[in-house]
Amino acid sequence: MDSAGIDQTLQGVCLLEKDSNGDILITWSHLLFKTAPEYQSIIKSRSLLNTTRTQSFSKFRDKWIYISSQVGPEMNPRILYFSVALFASEFNPEKYGALTNHMASLYKSHHSPVKILECFLDVMTTAKHDGVDNLGNKLTFNGGDYKKQDHLLAGSILDIVKMFEANTWIIWSALI
């Protein structure tokens, strides 16, 4: 966060929907897409709307892209699936995966991108968001629960050696 309390790592957010015709559309976006239309084709191809996966993260240029997908909202049967994509300059898959899940739950419940925008702005300014779904259940996200280095400590070097076996030394040399 900068001196004004604004989280500079959040770069933008968008909503993608797959309709009953099989078309994938970016139906709403905030920030990044206004200045970088080249991200539109990238995010459509990585949207998870043609797979069974529900969450992913990847990097394009200097931005990390975190995506969470869910079955479409019941109040609009023309939308089969939707994805919330978040752009950040920081690598933290646990934190931003939880945030995209939180945003997707808000959208599924209210079927309004306004709820995604509220969440984005709250997290950008206060690092947390409290919301309520359409059944009255409380939905919360607190960015302070995710330490900056915890995601880097999630694995063991022994797991990497077992995974890559003899090629581990090539990876190690590349890292050094």
Side-chain angles (χ1 to χ4, degrees), residues 95-115:
K95 176 181 178 180
Y96 296 115
L99 180 55
T100 56
N101 278 338
H102 180 73
M103 290 176 171
S105 296
L106 288 168
Y107 179 72
K108 184 172 185 171
S109 183
H110 296 282
H111 191 62
S112 171
V114 173
K115 296 297 180 182

Side-chain angles (χ1 to χ4, degrees), residues 92 143-151:
N92 194 335
D145 292 343
Y146 302 92
K147 305 293 184 249
K148 197 165 191 161
Q149 300 298 323
D150 283 354
H151 62 279

Side-chain angles (χ1 to χ4, degrees), residues 12-168:
V13 62
C14 74
L15 174 68
L16 297 99
E17 295 176 337
K18 182 176 183 177
D19 64 15
S20 56
N21 296 325
D23 298 325
I24 296 174
L25 303 169
I26 298 174
T27 56
W28 177 83
S29 64
H30 179 64
L31 290 182
L32 185 66
F33 284 101
K34 308 294 186 217
T35 59
E38 69 269 12
Y39 281 90
Q40 292 181 8
S41 62
I42 296 298
I43 197 63
K44 280 184 182 181
S45 67
R46 298 180 186 180
S47 67
L48 301 177
L49 295 176
N50 289 322
T51 68
T52 57
R53 294 176 34 217
T54 58
Q55 206 163 29
S56 77
F57 64 92
S58 61
K59 189 171 186 179
F60 179 69
R61 296 195 180 152
D62 61 338
K63 305 285 185 268
W64 284 96
I65 305 169
Y66 300 92
I67 302 173
S68 180
S69 295
Q70 291 189 13
V71 175
E74 293 148 6
M75 57 189 85
N76 190 345
R78 290 179 294 168
I79 298 172
L80 302 178
Y81 302 97
F82 71 93
S83 292
V84 174
L86 181 70
F87 293 84
S89 59
E90 174 184 56
F91 175 74
N92 194 335
E94 289 84 10
K95 176 181 178 180
Y96 296 115
L99 180 55
T100 56
N101 278 338
H102 180 73
M103 290 176 171
S105 296
L106 288 168
Y107 179 72
K108 184 172 185 171
S109 183
H110 296 282
H111 191 62
S112 171
V114 173
K115 296 297 180 182
I116 296 173
L117 180 60
E118 286 176 2
C119 178
F120 182 83
L121 294 175
D122 279 351
V123 171
M124 198 170 187
T125 55
T126 66
K128 59 183 175 180
H129 179 262
D130 293 318
V132 178
D133 68 8
N134 59 354
L135 300 174
N137 299 321
K138 189 173 182 179
L139 301 171
T140 60
F141 172 81
N142 187 353
D145 292 343
Y146 302 92
K147 305 293 184 249
K148 197 165 191 161
Q149 300 298 323
D150 283 354
H151 62 279
L152 298 174
L153 303 174
S156 164
I157 191 72
L158 293 176
D159 294 336
I160 295 171
V161 171
K162 288 178 187 174
M163 184 184 313
F164 294 106
E165 297 172 350
N167 293 326
T168 304

